[in-house]
Amino acid sequence: MSRTMLSGKCATARAALRLALDFALPPLCPSCREPLGDGIGLCASCWSRLSLIEPPYCVRLGIPFVFDPGAGLLSMEAIANPPAYDRARAAVRYDDVASSLVHQFKYADRLDLAPMMGRWMARAGRELLADANALIPVPLHWRRLWARRFNQSATLAGAISALCGVPVVHGGLKRVRATPQQVGLSKTERADNVQGVFRVPGENKAKIAGRRLVLIDDVLTSGATVDACARALLRAGAAHVDVLVFARVVASARGPI
Ligand SMILES: [Zn+2]
């Protein structure tokens, strides 16, 4: 038997063994890959490093403040560059732990993380969900959906809906053209990249017009994507659009103005 064939057989055996172990071992912490004792969520150490976003924050953008300025104050960004949506809320800061959670969820098929992430989102967005008529997942282009097999925003929306009872409108928004990944683009480039990309399909206009909606996404970076989505929903007659994400990028500690 040739050396190549032998190493090929070894690789197959190793893969089979790994598969068998995956079934036998307890689930791993999605962030640090240590085995989890109780079987779900994050390990205690990663949990303690996760940065939940709590008040005080800008009532409009949900950006945390370093000190409490009193009720109802806006951040500099909200005044200088008001978004199309009304309010945005995020469960956690997008840091190392949050990014590995999102990465495992999105690219490693860890769909079992959705109920936990959805629970944190429902908690962070409780005032938004209290008076919402429907949840709208940020759509993927069909080609990306086909490659990934699921839309992470729709999965999160489903988990939130199961907790708060607000229904998900699937197909409420459509991505009419594929866009390059936003990674590495400036704020202006991100806004240009998603300009005119989202549309409410004619057959779903009745589910949007006059409704109070909450857009659902996994990560908010510059806000360009959810802003373009909100514009499309408002153009189709939505009464009110809020945004709820799992994690948001927080550039630095900011004070109110
Ligand atoms: Zn961990």
Side-chain angles (χ1 to χ4, degrees):
M1 196 181 286
S2 80
R3 209 185 151 86
T4 330
M5 272 176 74
L6 192 64
S7 71
K9 284 204 167 186
C10 287
T12 315
R14 267 201 310 276
L17 182 66
R18 209 178 308 123
L19 195 65
L21 286 174
D22 279 349
F23 280 111
L25 288 175
L28 302 179
C29 169
S31 176
C32 68
R33 318 292 297 146
E34 286 294 314
L36 287 173
D38 57 1
I40 200 150
L42 288 170
C43 75
S45 148
C46 290
W47 172 254
S48 72
R49 286 191 297 125
L50 192 70
S51 180
L52 294 176
I53 294 180
E54 307 272 5
Y57 46 59
C58 166
V59 287
R60 191 83 198 272
L61 299 179
I63 298 174
F65 288 144
V66 280
F67 62 89
D68 194 347
L73 273 194
L74 297 176
S75 60
M76 195 101 75
E77 290 89 331
I79 292 166
N81 198 8
Y85 52 82
D86 194 66
R87 298 169 291 180
R89 296 292 181 266
V92 300
R93 286 176 192 245
Y94 191 67
D95 57 12
D96 290 351
V97 181
S99 96
S100 42
L101 256 178
V102 169
H103 200 271
Q104 289 286 313
F105 170 55
K106 241 160 114 164
Y107 304 113
D109 284 347
R110 287 290 309 269
L111 293 176
D112 59 302
L113 297 173
M116 175 184 73
M117 294 165 78
R119 211 159 39 240
W120 294 338
M121 290 171 75
R123 180 178 166 276
R126 57 193 175 279
E127 7 153 32
L128 280 51
L129 298 168
D131 51 11
N133 301 128
L135 307 179
I136 310 285
V138 169
L140 289 179
H141 187 258
W142 67 265
R143 233 177 282 132
R144 192 160 292 158
L145 180 63
W146 185 79
R148 198 178 293 161
R149 301 194 309 275
F150 72 101
N151 173 359
Q152 72 279 2
S153 306
T155 306
L156 291 173
I160 296 165
S161 177
L163 292 167
C164 67
V166 180
V168 184
V169 173
H170 293 283
L173 267 179
K174 199 173 170 198
R175 200 182 272 256
V176 290
R177 65 182 161 83
T179 44
Q181 294 275 19
Q182 302 270 68
V183 177
L185 300 183
S186 73
K187 197 174 169 140
T188 319
E189 286 167 338
R190 280 169 186 259
D192 290 346
N193 196 24
V194 289
Q195 179 79 36
V197 160
F198 300 99
R199 201 155 301 155
V200 174
E203 70 271 21
N204 286 331
K205 284 228 163 94
K207 296 177 187 165
I208 300 300
R211 316 296 298 282
R212 296 181 63 91
L213 307 170
V214 179
L215 269 165
I216 305 291
D217 208 357
D218 55 347
V219 178
L220 187 152
T221 307
S222 71
T225 301
V226 284
D227 202 64
C229 288
R231 278 175 209 285
L233 292 169
L234 291 166
R235 255 198 320 270
H240 184 101
V241 182
D242 287 322
V243 172
L244 180 56
V245 299
F246 173 66
R248 75 166 299 144
V249 173
V250 178
S252 56
R254 294 157 208 271
I257 59 166

